Amino acid sequence: MNRLFRQDRLIASNTIRATFAGWHDRVIATLMVLAALAVAHAWVADRPWRVAAWTAFGAGMLIGIGVERLVGGRLAFHAFDGLLAADALHPQTRRRYMTAWHGVGLTLLAVTTLIVRPSLLVISVPAYLAGVLIAGLTGGVRMPKRIAGTARPGWTLRAWLHRPIAGVTAATVLLLLLLPARTLGTNALMAVVGIASMLLTLTLTSVDDAVVRFMTIAGHGSRRIVVHHGKGIATFLAVSVPGCWIILGPVAAGIAAAACVAMLLLLTLRVLAYRLHTRRFADFLVSILAGLLMLVAYSMPVASPVLALAMLWQLQRRGQAKTWLLA
């Protein structure tokens, strides 16, 4: 067996065992996976073939791109910093490593597709391969080192988005967009409010994983870290909800408030996940949890608050052991 694949498989299995160390953690994880599959099956089974096919195509392509990116990142690590650099630099070994992990990804995708809707297998598998091809073709596109070394706008922008002024600015943009949109019909206008609120608040959910980990080991609790990163969303809520109420009425204000609550939940999940895991694994975990919440909210709205609280409690309970590591 490929030594690179065997090493990463061992790392992955140890990470999963450490993440779900207790039996209750494993029970919760199993129930979440089963619930996600049940909700996906219920949603896809009722959709027309064309809608289900496009959904499977998009999901398969995104998964293929994600797996290809992850595999490429691991190969880059092995080639420069790993213990098996000689294997990672060998072309034939690299191909076998990539083939093995894509085989795992395709197998999991095929099993999920067979559970959700077997007829979509002819769509999801080619979409996965297309995603792998797209990620492989675009993987070499990088910012020139001359530019990347002289400008670091990402860190500055993330720091600014955590300030209250960022929320005020986003809320002002939303209210200015609503002024010319008042000529639309009621349904279209509410859709504009919802979409604009979600997009603007999504920009305010940026989280610096290094800051989260440092604040955690320095003794700051999760509540203080969330407050530090959520000032922008808080001011957006304070400005946008009254403004939408004045301009369009209570329904629009409720939609803006719901968008803020949803994005604050996403921000909290990110903070709690970054307290426990590296950025890449935490982002993957948050994506799964957010997708599960959306599926449950669509099919069983009453159960979504309970599931959200269970997720937050589980992450918070596990993150408490990471606090005060500097002491």
Side-chain angles (χ1 to χ4, degrees):
M1 182 184 292
N2 189 292
R3 291 196 300 174
L4 289 175
F5 177 77
R6 186 167 62 248
Q7 183 187 33
D8 277 0
R9 187 188 63 179
L10 182 61
I11 293 173
S13 61
N14 290 338
T15 302
I16 294 173
R17 280 198 296 266
T19 303
F20 306 102
W23 65 267
H24 49 280
D25 298 332
R26 297 172 185 175
V27 170
I28 292 175
T30 303
L31 292 177
M32 289 173 59
V33 171
L34 293 177
L37 291 174
V39 172
H41 173 74
W43 186 86
V44 174
D46 295 336
R47 300 278 83 79
W49 163 254
R50 181 173 296 181
V51 175
W54 278 111
T55 303
F57 180 81
M61 181 170 288
L62 289 176
I63 294 172
I65 292 174
V67 173
E68 176 67 16
R69 297 284 189 187
L70 288 174
V71 171
R74 288 300 299 172
L75 278 175
F77 167 79
H78 284 300
F80 291 97
D81 300 308
L83 299 175
L84 302 175
D87 290 355
L89 293 173
H90 191 272
Q92 186 176 2
T93 305
R94 290 171 63 92
R95 285 193 297 268
R96 291 177 179 175
Y97 174 85
M98 297 177 70
T99 301
W101 277 118
H102 283 306
V104 173
L106 269 176
T107 301
L108 293 176
L109 178 63
V111 171
T112 303
T113 305
L114 290 173
I115 295 174
V116 173
R117 190 166 176 174
S119 59
L120 295 176
L121 194 62
V122 296
I123 302 294
S124 61
V125 172
Y128 178 96
L129 298 176
V132 172
L133 179 61
I134 292 174
L137 293 176
T138 59
V141 179
R142 295 288 187 272
M143 181 182 291
K145 293 184 178 180
R146 178 175 56 84
I147 299 176
T150 57
R152 294 184 61 189
W155 187 89
T156 304
L157 179 60
R158 285 196 300 269
W160 182 81
L161 289 173
H162 301 156
R163 299 177 181 176
I165 188 61
V168 175
T169 303
T172 303
V173 172
L174 173 65
L175 298 178
L176 291 176
L177 287 174
L178 296 182
L179 292 177
R182 287 184 297 177
T183 57
L184 299 174
T186 303
N187 294 335
L189 187 56
M190 295 302 107
V192 170
V193 173
I195 294 173
S197 298
M198 292 292 289
L199 292 177
L200 289 170
T201 51
L202 184 62
T203 62
L204 302 175
T205 62
S206 173
V207 177
D208 193 324
D209 60 310
V211 172
V212 171
R213 283 193 291 273
F214 177 79
M215 293 181 70
T216 299
I217 64 177
H220 296 287
S222 57
R223 182 175 63 180
R224 187 168 181 177
I225 301 175
V226 170
V227 169
H228 172 77
H229 288 85
K231 294 176 182 177
I233 296 180
T235 53
F236 180 91
L237 177 66
V239 175
S240 64
V241 172
C244 290
W245 192 306
I246 294 172
I247 297 174
L248 301 176
V251 177
I255 294 174
C260 291
V261 172
M263 291 300 105
L264 183 59
L265 175 61
L266 176 62
L267 175 69
T268 305
L269 286 174
R270 283 180 173 173
V271 168
L272 295 178
Y274 288 155
R275 281 162 58 90
L276 287 167
H277 307 291
T278 61
R279 183 180 184 90
R280 181 171 294 176
F281 186 81
D283 288 339
F284 176 71
L285 178 63
V286 170
S287 299
I288 294 176
L289 296 178
L292 177 59
L293 277 175
M294 287 189 290
L295 288 173
V296 173
Y298 177 83
S299 59
M300 296 178 292
V302 178
S304 56
V306 178
L307 181 61
L309 290 175
M311 292 177 180
L312 295 176
W313 174 81
Q314 179 69 7
L315 292 174
Q316 166 64 14
R317 185 185 64 83
R318 295 186 59 83
Q320 288 178 347
K322 302 292 185 179
T323 310
W324 284 117
L325 293 182
L326 288 180

